[in-house]
Each structure stands twice: as C-alpha cells, then as structure tokens.
Amino acid sequence: MRCGCPDCGAYMIQSESLELACVCPECGYRCNACMGTNTVVSREQLRQQAQRIAEMEEASREHEGRI
C-alpha cells in the first residue's frame, strides 16, 4: 500500500524493518495508520460485540413476529 505523507504530501513506502510502518522518503515521517496495527480487539470486546449482535437479532425477530 502506498500512502501520502500527512506532513509533506510525498508518497510513503512500507518499511522493511521489524516495526510495521510506512516511511516518507522525503521527510522521514513514520506512520502505521494503514497497516492495521493497534487495532487488536480483546476477547472480552469480541464477546461483548457478539452479545450485542445476538440481542439485536433477537429484538429484530421479536419485532418481525408482531407485524
């Protein structure tokens, strides 16, 4: 993926180091916004999301049964 540098506007390239990031060849700015890092969801968050979805589906089924 190629991104535009938010500082100078140049195209950034992916670094080939242990740290996932894009690096601007013009100004050296580093960014990992497009890499999907720092977006890990915990097991508890997954459980909560699944519970909310199940509750919404149940409410939808109950509503459809009333129509």
Side-chain angles (χ1 to χ4, degrees):
M1 172 172 273
R2 291 181 61 131
C3 303
C5 177
D7 281 351
C8 71
Y11 280 113
M12 296 174 67
I13 56 174
Q14 289 182 357
S15 69
E16 304 234 351
S17 65
L18 294 175
E19 182 182 331
L20 294 176
C22 291
V23 180
C24 178
E26 299 295 321
C27 69
Y29 180 84
R30 295 181 68 85
C31 178
N32 63 4
C34 71
M35 304 297 248
T37 55
N38 297 327
T39 59
V40 176
V41 177
S42 71
R43 289 178 191 240
E44 183 57 33
Q45 289 171 318
L46 281 175
R47 283 187 200 105
Q48 290 173 354
Q49 289 176 358
Q51 181 63 35
R52 279 188 235 127
I53 290 169
E55 290 170 358
M56 290 171 50
E57 289 173 346
E58 179 64 27
S60 178
R61 283 192 293 274
E62 287 177 7
H63 179 71
E64 288 174 1
R66 294 180 192 167
I67 296 176

Coordinates of all heavy atoms in Angstrom, one line a residue:
M1 N 0.9 -1.2 0.0 CA 0.0 0.0 0.0 C 0.9 1.2 0.0 O 1.9 1.3 0.6 CB -0.9 0.0 1.2 CG -1.7 1.3 1.4 SD -2.9 1.2 2.7 CE -4.2 0.5 1.8
R2 N 0.5 2.2 -0.7 CA 1.2 3.5 -0.7 C 0.3 4.6 -0.2 O -0.9 4.7 -0.6 CB 1.7 3.8 -2.1 CG 2.7 2.9 -2.6 CD 3.2 3.2 -4.0 NE 3.7 4.6 -4.0 CZ 4.9 4.9 -4.5 NH1 5.6 4.0 -5.1 NH2 5.3 6.2 -4.5
C3 N 0.8 5.4 0.7 CA 0.0 6.4 1.4 C 0.7 7.8 1.1 O 1.9 7.8 0.9 CB 0.0 6.2 2.9 SG -0.7 4.6 3.4
G4 N 0.0 8.8 1.3 CA 0.6 10.2 1.2 C 1.0 10.6 2.6 O 0.3 10.4 3.5
C5 N 2.1 11.2 2.7 CA 2.6 11.7 3.9 C 1.8 12.8 4.4 O 1.5 13.8 3.7 CB 4.1 12.2 3.8 SG 4.8 12.9 5.3
P6 N 1.3 12.8 5.7 CA 0.5 13.9 6.2 C 1.3 15.1 6.5 O 0.7 16.2 6.6 CB -0.1 13.3 7.5 CG 0.8 12.2 7.9 CD 1.4 11.7 6.6
D7 N 2.6 15.0 6.5 CA 3.4 16.2 6.8 C 3.8 16.9 5.5 O 3.6 18.2 5.4 CB 4.7 15.9 7.5 CG 4.5 15.7 9.0 OD1 3.4 16.0 9.5 OD2 5.4 15.2 9.7
C8 N 4.3 16.2 4.5 CA 4.8 16.9 3.3 C 4.1 16.5 2.0 O 4.3 17.1 1.0 CB 6.3 16.7 3.1 SG 6.8 15.0 2.6
G9 N 3.2 15.4 2.0 CA 2.4 15.0 0.9 C 3.1 14.0 -0.1 O 2.5 13.6 -1.0
A10 N 4.4 13.7 0.2 CA 5.1 12.8 -0.7 C 4.5 11.4 -0.5 O 3.9 11.1 0.6 CB 6.6 12.8 -0.4
Y11 N 4.7 10.5 -1.5 CA 4.2 9.1 -1.3 C 5.2 8.4 -0.3 O 6.4 8.5 -0.4 CB 4.3 8.4 -2.6 CG 3.0 8.6 -3.5 CD1 3.2 9.3 -4.7 CD2 1.8 8.2 -3.1 CE1 2.1 9.6 -5.4 CE2 0.7 8.5 -3.9 CZ 0.8 9.2 -5.0 OH -0.3 9.4 -5.8
M12 N 4.5 7.7 0.6 CA 5.3 6.9 1.6 C 5.4 5.5 1.1 O 4.6 5.0 0.4 CB 4.6 7.0 3.0 CG 4.5 8.4 3.5 SD 3.5 8.5 5.0 CE 4.4 7.6 6.2
I13 N 6.4 4.8 1.6 CA 6.6 3.4 1.3 C 6.7 2.6 2.6 O 7.0 3.1 3.6 CB 7.9 3.2 0.5 CG1 9.1 3.8 1.2 CG2 7.8 3.9 -0.9 CD1 10.5 3.5 0.6
Q14 N 6.4 1.3 2.4 CA 6.5 0.4 3.6 C 7.9 0.2 4.0 O 8.7 -0.1 3.1 CB 5.8 -0.9 3.3 CG 4.3 -0.8 3.2 CD 3.6 -2.2 3.0 OE1 4.3 -3.2 2.8 NE2 2.3 -2.2 2.9
S15 N 8.2 0.2 5.3 CA 9.5 -0.1 5.8 C 9.7 -1.6 5.8 O 8.7 -2.3 5.9 CB 9.7 0.5 7.2 OG 9.0 -0.2 8.1
E16 N 10.9 -2.0 5.7 CA 11.2 -3.4 5.7 C 11.9 -3.8 7.0 O 12.8 -4.6 7.0 CB 12.1 -3.8 4.5 CG 11.4 -3.3 3.2 CD 11.3 -4.5 2.2 OE1 11.9 -5.5 2.4 OE2 10.6 -4.3 1.2
S17 N 11.5 -3.2 8.1 CA 12.2 -3.5 9.4 C 11.2 -4.3 10.2 O 10.1 -4.7 9.8 CB 12.5 -2.2 10.1 OG 11.3 -1.5 10.4
L18 N 11.6 -4.6 11.5 CA 10.7 -5.3 12.4 C 9.5 -4.6 12.8 O 8.4 -5.2 13.1 CB 11.5 -5.7 13.6 CG 12.7 -6.7 13.4 CD1 13.4 -6.9 14.7 CD2 12.2 -8.0 12.9
E19 N 9.5 -3.2 12.7 CA 8.3 -2.4 13.1 C 7.5 -2.1 11.8 O 8.0 -1.5 10.9 CB 8.8 -1.1 13.7 CG 7.7 -0.2 14.1 CD 8.2 1.1 14.7 OE1 9.3 1.1 15.3 OE2 7.5 2.1 14.6
L20 N 6.3 -2.5 11.8 CA 5.4 -2.3 10.6 C 5.1 -0.8 10.6 O 4.5 -0.3 11.5 CB 4.2 -3.1 10.7 CG 4.4 -4.6 10.6 CD1 3.0 -5.3 10.8 CD2 5.0 -5.0 9.3
A21 N 5.4 -0.2 9.5 CA 5.1 1.2 9.3 C 5.4 1.6 7.8 O 6.1 0.9 7.1 CB 5.9 2.1 10.2
C22 N 4.9 2.8 7.4 CA 5.2 3.4 6.2 C 6.2 4.5 6.6 O 6.1 5.1 7.6 CB 4.0 4.0 5.5 SG 2.9 2.7 4.8
V23 N 7.1 4.8 5.7 CA 8.1 5.8 5.9 C 8.2 6.8 4.7 O 8.2 6.3 3.6 CB 9.6 5.2 6.1 CG1 10.6 6.3 6.4 CG2 9.5 4.2 7.2
C24 N 8.2 8.1 5.0 CA 8.3 9.1 3.9 C 9.7 9.2 3.5 O 10.6 9.5 4.3 CB 7.7 10.4 4.4 SG 7.9 11.7 3.2
P25 N 10.0 9.0 2.2 CA 11.4 9.2 1.8 C 11.9 10.6 1.7 O 13.1 10.9 1.7 CB 11.3 8.6 0.3 CG 9.9 8.7 -0.1 CD 9.1 8.6 1.1
E26 N 10.9 11.6 1.8 CA 11.3 13.0 1.7 C 11.6 13.5 3.1 O 12.7 14.2 3.3 CB 10.2 13.8 1.1 CG 9.8 13.4 -0.3 CD 11.0 13.7 -1.3 OE1 11.6 14.7 -1.1 OE2 11.2 12.9 -2.2
C27 N 10.7 13.3 4.1 CA 11.0 13.9 5.4 C 11.2 12.9 6.5 O 11.5 13.3 7.6 CB 9.8 14.8 5.7 SG 8.2 13.9 6.1
G28 N 11.1 11.6 6.3 CA 11.3 10.6 7.3 C 10.2 10.3 8.2 O 10.3 9.5 9.1
Y29 N 9.0 10.9 8.0 CA 7.8 10.7 8.8 C 7.5 9.2 8.8 O 7.5 8.6 7.7 CB 6.7 11.6 8.3 CG 5.4 11.4 9.1 CD1 5.2 12.2 10.3 CD2 4.4 10.6 8.7 CE1 4.0 12.0 11.0 CE2 3.2 10.4 9.5 CZ 3.1 11.2 10.6 OH 1.9 11.0 11.4
R30 N 7.1 8.6 10.0 CA 6.7 7.2 10.1 C 5.3 7.2 10.5 O 4.8 7.9 11.4 CB 7.6 6.5 11.1 CG 9.0 6.4 10.6 CD 9.8 5.6 11.6 NE 9.4 4.2 11.7 CZ 9.9 3.2 10.9 NH1 10.8 3.5 10.0 NH2 9.5 2.0 11.0
C31 N 4.5 6.3 9.9 CA 3.1 6.1 10.3 C 2.7 4.7 10.1 O 3.2 4.0 9.2 CB 2.3 7.0 9.3 SG 0.5 6.9 9.5
N32 N 1.8 4.2 10.9 CA 1.2 2.9 10.8 C -0.3 2.8 10.7 O -0.9 1.8 10.9 CB 1.7 2.0 11.9 CG 1.3 2.4 13.3 OD1 0.5 3.4 13.4 ND2 1.7 1.8 14.3
A33 N -0.9 3.9 10.3 CA -2.3 4.0 10.3 C -3.0 3.1 9.3 O -4.0 2.5 9.6 CB -2.8 5.5 9.9
C34 N -2.3 2.9 8.1 CA -2.9 2.0 7.1 C -2.5 0.5 7.3 O -3.0 -0.4 6.6 CB -2.5 2.4 5.7 SG -0.7 2.1 5.4
M35 N -1.7 0.2 8.3 CA -1.2 -1.1 8.5 C -2.1 -2.0 9.3 O -1.9 -3.2 9.5 CB 0.2 -1.1 9.1 CG 1.2 -0.3 8.3 SD 1.5 -1.0 6.7 CE 3.1 -1.5 6.9
G36 N -3.1 -1.4 10.0 CA -4.0 -2.1 10.8 C -3.4 -2.5 12.2 O -3.9 -3.3 12.9
T37 N -2.3 -1.8 12.5 CA -1.7 -2.1 13.9 C -2.4 -1.3 14.9 O -3.2 -0.3 14.6 CB -0.2 -1.7 13.9 OG1 -0.1 -0.4 13.5 CG2 0.6 -2.6 13.0
N38 N -2.3 -1.7 16.1 CA -3.0 -1.0 17.2 C -4.5 -1.1 17.1 O -5.3 -0.3 17.6 CB -2.6 0.5 17.4 CG -1.2 0.6 17.7 OD1 -0.6 -0.2 18.4 ND2 -0.6 1.7 17.2
T39 N -5.0 -2.1 16.4 CA -6.4 -2.3 16.2 C -6.9 -3.7 16.7 O -7.9 -4.2 16.3 CB -6.8 -2.2 14.7 OG1 -6.1 -3.2 14.0 CG2 -6.6 -0.8 14.2
V40 N -6.1 -4.3 17.6 CA -6.4 -5.6 18.1 C -7.6 -5.5 19.1 O -7.6 -4.6 19.9 CB -5.2 -6.2 18.8 CG1 -5.5 -7.5 19.5 CG2 -4.0 -6.4 17.9
V41 N -8.5 -6.4 18.9 CA -9.7 -6.5 19.8 C -9.5 -7.6 20.8 O -9.1 -8.7 20.4 CB -10.9 -6.7 18.9 CG1 -12.2 -6.9 19.8 CG2 -11.1 -5.7 17.9
S42 N -9.7 -7.3 22.0 CA -9.6 -8.3 23.1 C -10.7 -9.3 23.0 O -11.7 -9.1 22.4 CB -9.6 -7.6 24.5 OG -10.9 -7.2 24.8
R43 N -10.5 -10.5 23.7 CA -11.5 -11.5 23.7 C -12.8 -11.0 24.4 O -13.9 -11.3 24.0 CB -11.0 -12.7 24.5 CG -10.0 -13.5 23.7 CD -9.5 -14.7 24.5 NE -8.3 -15.2 23.9 CZ -8.3 -16.5 23.5 NH1 -9.3 -17.3 23.6 NH2 -7.2 -16.9 22.9
E44 N -12.6 -10.2 25.4 CA -13.8 -9.6 26.1 C -14.5 -8.7 25.2 O -15.8 -8.7 25.2 CB -13.3 -8.9 27.4 CG -14.5 -8.3 28.2 CD -15.5 -9.4 28.6 OE1 -15.2 -10.5 28.8 OE2 -16.7 -9.0 28.7
Q45 N -13.8 -7.8 24.4 CA -14.5 -7.0 23.5 C -15.3 -7.8 22.4 O -16.4 -7.4 22.0 CB -13.5 -6.0 22.8 CG -13.0 -5.0 23.7 CD -11.8 -4.2 23.1 OE1 -10.9 -4.8 22.5 NE2 -11.8 -2.9 23.3
L46 N -14.7 -8.9 21.9 CA -15.4 -9.7 21.0 C -16.6 -10.3 21.6 O -17.7 -10.4 20.9 CB -14.4 -10.8 20.5 CG -13.4 -10.5 19.5 CD1 -12.5 -11.7 19.2 CD2 -14.0 -10.0 18.2
R47 N -16.5 -10.8 22.8 CA -17.7 -11.3 23.5 C -18.8 -10.3 23.6 O -20.0 -10.6 23.4 CB -17.3 -11.9 24.9 CG -16.6 -13.2 24.9 CD -16.4 -13.7 26.3 NE -15.4 -14.7 26.3 CZ -14.1 -14.5 26.7 NH1 -13.8 -13.4 27.3 NH2 -13.2 -15.5 26.6
Q48 N -18.4 -9.1 24.0 CA -19.4 -8.0 24.2 C -20.1 -7.7 22.8 O -21.3 -7.5 22.8 CB -18.8 -6.8 24.8 CG -18.4 -6.9 26.2 CD -17.6 -5.8 26.7 OE1 -17.2 -4.9 26.0 NE2 -17.3 -5.8 28.0
Q49 N -19.3 -7.6 21.8 CA -19.8 -7.3 20.4 C -20.8 -8.5 20.0 O -21.9 -8.2 19.5 CB -18.7 -7.1 19.4 CG -18.0 -5.9 19.6 CD -16.8 -5.7 18.6 OE1 -16.5 -6.6 17.8 NE2 -16.1 -4.6 18.7
A50 N -20.4 -9.7 20.2 CA -21.2 -10.8 19.8 C -22.5 -10.8 20.6 O -23.6 -11.1 20.1 CB -20.5 -12.1 20.1
Q51 N -22.5 -10.5 21.9 CA -23.7 -10.4 22.7 C -24.6 -9.3 22.2 O -25.8 -9.5 22.1 CB -23.3 -10.1 24.2 CG -24.5 -10.1 25.1 CD -25.3 -11.4 25.2 OE1 -24.7 -12.4 25.1 NE2 -26.6 -11.3 25.3
R52 N -24.0 -8.1 21.9 CA -24.9 -7.0 21.4 C -25.5 -7.5 20.1 O -26.7 -7.2 19.8 CB -24.0 -5.8 21.2 CG -23.8 -5.0 22.4 CD -23.2 -3.7 22.2 NE -22.0 -3.7 23.0 CZ -20.7 -3.4 22.6 NH1 -20.5 -3.1 21.4 NH2 -19.7 -3.5 23.4
I53 N -24.8 -8.1 19.2 CA -25.4 -8.6 17.9 C -26.5 -9.6 18.1 O -27.6 -9.5 17.5 CB -24.3 -9.1 17.0 CG1 -23.3 -8.0 16.5 CG2 -24.9 -9.9 15.8 CD1 -22.1 -8.5 15.9
A54 N -26.3 -10.5 19.0 CA -27.3 -11.5 19.4 C -28.5 -10.8 19.9 O -29.7 -11.2 19.5 CB -26.7 -12.5 20.3
E55 N -28.4 -9.9 20.8 CA -29.5 -9.1 21.3 C -30.3 -8.4 20.3 O -31.5 -8.4 20.3 CB -29.0 -8.2 22.4 CG -28.6 -8.9 23.7 CD -27.9 -8.0 24.7 OE1 -27.7 -6.8 24.4 OE2 -27.5 -8.5 25.8
M56 N -29.5 -7.7 19.4 CA -30.2 -7.0 18.3 C -31.0 -8.0 17.3 O -32.1 -7.7 16.9 CB -29.1 -6.2 17.5 CG -28.6 -5.0 18.3 SD -27.2 -4.2 17.5 CE -27.7 -3.9 15.8
E57 N -30.4 -9.1 17.0 CA -31.1 -10.1 16.2 C -32.3 -10.6 16.9 O -33.3 -10.8 16.2 CB -30.1 -11.2 15.8 CG -29.0 -10.8 14.9 CD -28.0 -11.9 14.6 OE1 -27.9 -12.9 15.4 OE2 -27.2 -11.7 13.7
E58 N -32.2 -10.9 18.1 CA -33.4 -11.4 18.9 C -34.5 -10.3 18.9 O -35.7 -10.6 18.7 CB -33.0 -11.7 20.3 CG -34.2 -12.2 21.2 CD -34.8 -13.5 20.7 OE1 -34.1 -14.3 20.0 OE2 -36.0 -13.7 20.9
A59 N -34.1 -9.1 19.1 CA -35.1 -8.0 19.1 C -35.7 -7.8 17.7 O -37.0 -7.6 17.6 CB -34.5 -6.7 19.5
S60 N -35.0 -8.0 16.7 CA -35.5 -7.9 15.3 C -36.5 -9.0 15.0 O -37.5 -8.8 14.4 CB -34.3 -8.0 14.3 OG -34.8 -7.9 13.0
R61 N -36.1 -10.3 15.5 CA -37.1 -11.4 15.3 C -38.4 -11.2 16.1 O -39.4 -11.5 15.6 CB -36.4 -12.7 15.7 CG -35.4 -13.3 14.7 CD -35.0 -14.7 15.1 NE -34.2 -14.8 16.3 CZ -32.9 -14.6 16.5 NH1 -32.2 -14.3 15.4 NH2 -32.3 -14.7 17.6
E62 N -38.3 -10.6 17.3 CA -39.5 -10.4 18.1 C -40.3 -9.3 17.4 O -41.5 -9.4 17.3 CB -39.1 -9.9 19.5 CG -38.6 -11.0 20.3 CD -38.1 -10.5 21.7 OE1 -38.4 -9.3 22.0 OE2 -37.5 -11.3 22.5
H63 N -39.7 -8.3 16.8 CA -40.4 -7.2 16.1 C -41.1 -7.8 14.9 O -42.2 -7.4 14.6 CB -39.4 -6.1 15.8 CG -40.1 -5.0 15.1 ND1 -41.0 -4.1 15.7 CD2 -40.0 -4.6 13.8 CE1 -41.4 -3.2 14.8 NE2 -40.8 -3.5 13.6
E64 N -40.4 -8.6 14.1 CA -41.0 -9.2 12.9 C -42.2 -10.1 13.3 O -43.1 -10.1 12.5 CB -39.9 -10.0 12.2 CG -38.9 -9.1 11.5 CD -37.8 -10.0 10.9 OE1 -37.8 -11.2 10.9 OE2 -36.8 -9.3 10.3
G65 N -42.2 -10.7 14.4 CA -43.3 -11.6 14.8 C -44.5 -10.8 15.1 O -45.6 -11.3 15.1
R66 N -44.4 -9.5 15.5 CA -45.5 -8.6 15.8 C -46.2 -8.1 14.6 O -47.3 -7.6 14.7 CB -45.1 -7.5 16.7 CG -44.6 -8.0 18.1 CD -44.1 -6.8 18.9 NE -43.4 -7.3 20.1 CZ -42.7 -6.6 20.9 NH1 -42.6 -5.3 20.6 NH2 -42.1 -7.0 21.9
I67 N -45.5 -8.0 13.5 CA -46.0 -7.4 12.3 C -47.0 -8.3 11.6 O -46.9 -9.5 11.5 CB -44.9 -6.9 11.4 CG1 -44.1 -5.9 12.1 CG2 -45.4 -6.4 10.1 CD1 -42.9 -5.4 11.3

